[in-house]
Amino acid sequence: ARLFPNPAAGKVCLRVKTENNEMLRITITDAQGKTVMQQQQAAQARQQQDIWLNTQELAAGLYLVKLETKTGMQVLRLGIE
C-alpha cells in the first residue's frame, strides 16, 4: 500500500492491492497514539483500489496509518500540512 500525496492537505489517497477479497480496516493515529480516524472498506482480489481519506479535520503534523486485513498489517507514515 502507499499514500499520496504525502504530505497531504485536505485529502489523501491510500492505494491498495490485496491477494484475496478482504475487509480492510484503516486506522489513523496521531503522534500520541490517539485514534483520530477509523473506517472499514471492502477490497477485491488482485485489483488495485484507491481509497480517498478526508484529512481536513486533522491538525498539521505526523500521523500513522495502519492498514489491517485478516492476513496482515502495514503501517504507513502520513504528514499533514
Side-chain angles (χ1 to χ4, degrees):
R2 70 182 200 108
L3 292 166
F4 62 91
N6 194 3
K11 63 182 177 177
V12 66
C13 182
L14 174 63
R15 180 166 285 169
V16 297
K17 186 174 181 180
T18 60
E19 290 299 314
N20 304 304
N21 290 337
E22 298 189 80
M23 282 301 292
L24 305 174
R25 186 156 96 193
I26 303 159
T27 306
I28 299 179
T29 56
D30 64 15
Q32 288 75 42
K34 178 183 172 192
T35 298
V36 294
M37 184 185 301
Q38 194 168 39
Q39 73 180 56
Q40 291 193 354
Q41 179 85 29
Q44 295 188 352
R46 296 181 183 84
Q47 290 186 12
Q48 181 172 288
Q49 184 171 345
D50 289 347
I51 302 166
W52 286 93
L53 305 172
N54 182 352
T55 60
Q56 289 181 330
E57 302 292 320
L58 300 180
L62 292 175
Y63 295 83
L64 294 178
V65 179
K66 182 165 63 170
L67 177 63
E68 296 175 274
T69 66
K70 63 183 176 183
T71 57
M73 177 184 76
Q74 184 176 4
V75 178
L76 305 166
R77 290 179 191 225
L78 171 62
I80 300 294
E81 296 180 326

